[in-house]
Amino acid sequence: MDHKLDFAREERTGVAEAILGSGKSAEQIASIVETVLSAEARMLITRLDPEKARALGRFGEQVRYDALSGTAEVGVPRIVSSVPAVAVVAAGTSDMSVAQQALRTLAFFGESATLFADIGVAGLWRLTERLEEIRQFPVVIAVAGMEGAIFSVLAGLVRAPVIAVPTSVGYGVSEGGHAALSSALASCAPGVLVVNIDNGFGAAAAALKILNVGRG
């Protein structure tokens, strides 16, 4: 066994350890899954490609894979809250894989969220017609590539903290998500928190910590 899992992390920090699928072989990931299931524990795998996911088919329903987000839940599913506490705002359809990663992460921890899809600022009316709904949430995760303009726009319109997730969607100077990341970091709107490019998991973890503090 070439791994040592941190099963106490959720109790210690509020967010359980997640396993990064990229950079690991299918055999290594299967070994980790066996350890998790043997301990009757739960685990989230991120950045898991379909080929490696197929290699986990022998575990049946104990591993539940979602191809869009590249995530897999391992172990017994947690009951998800019926009251959404997080708004996940995706600027474009191309940003949906990262938005879905955030949604899946929240669900893994028992938090439901509401997705507001394809409401980027290139057609500002798409955002403004959903704005009153978004304002009802205590935490907002905003997912956008290109120039990432929605981060500042949202933070200037809602009371909730806005967690910005720049995505690698874009081309030319926007390629790789660096323009969106710079936009998020340089925002003049207060209350924008920024995670790394394509890091839907990190945004969900930040949202969970905010919610946990608020709930005492």
Side-chain angles (χ1 to χ4, degrees):
M1 182 174 66
D2 55 358
H3 57 268
K4 187 172 184 179
L5 303 179
D6 186 2
F7 289 122
R9 186 177 299 181
E10 184 171 7
E11 181 178 357
R12 190 175 67 247
T13 70
V15 180
E17 181 181 19
I19 296 301
L20 184 67
S22 61
K24 295 180 178 66
S25 67
E27 293 75 18
Q28 288 172 321
I29 295 171
S31 178
I32 290 170
V33 169
E34 287 179 348
T35 300
V36 171
L37 295 176
S38 295
E40 298 184 344
R42 303 173 68 250
M43 187 73 69
L44 183 70
I45 305 173
T46 64
R47 293 182 177 266
L48 183 66
D49 64 50
E51 184 178 352
K52 291 176 183 176
R54 283 192 291 272
L56 302 177
R58 61 189 173 93
F59 296 105
E61 289 300 313
Q62 295 180 100
V63 176
R64 297 166 299 282
Y65 178 62
D66 177 68
L68 178 60
S69 64
T71 61
E73 294 183 358
V74 180
V76 178
R78 185 168 291 179
I79 297 174
V80 178
S81 169
S82 59
V83 181
V86 181
V88 177
V89 178
T93 305
S94 298
D95 302 306
M96 277 303 301
S97 62
V98 178
Q100 180 72 356
Q101 186 186 98
L103 289 165
R104 287 268 293 181
T105 301
L106 290 165
F108 176 79
F109 289 103
E111 292 289 348
S112 63
T114 298
L115 173 67
F116 297 85
D118 199 20
I119 57 173
V121 299
L124 193 57
W125 61 270
R126 296 181 300 185
L127 173 60
T128 56
E129 72 177 10
R130 308 297 302 276
L131 188 56
E132 289 307 314
E133 294 174 73
I134 295 169
R135 282 175 169 157
Q136 305 307 308
F137 293 85
V139 183
V140 176
I141 294 174
V143 184
M146 301 298 283
E147 83 281 32
I150 198 170
F151 306 139
S152 290
V153 172
L154 264 178
L157 293 172
V158 302
R159 294 176 63 89
V162 173
I163 303 170
V165 191
T167 72
S168 52
V169 173
Y171 50 87
V173 296
S174 297
E175 189 171 1
H178 295 285
L181 175 61
S182 294
S183 179
L185 291 170
S187 174
C188 64
V192 177
L193 314 177
V194 186
V195 299
N196 204 359
I197 297 167
D198 291 339
N199 191 9
F201 168 80
L208 287 163
K209 284 178 173 280
I210 291 169
L211 292 172
N212 288 342
V213 169
R215 292 165 180 167

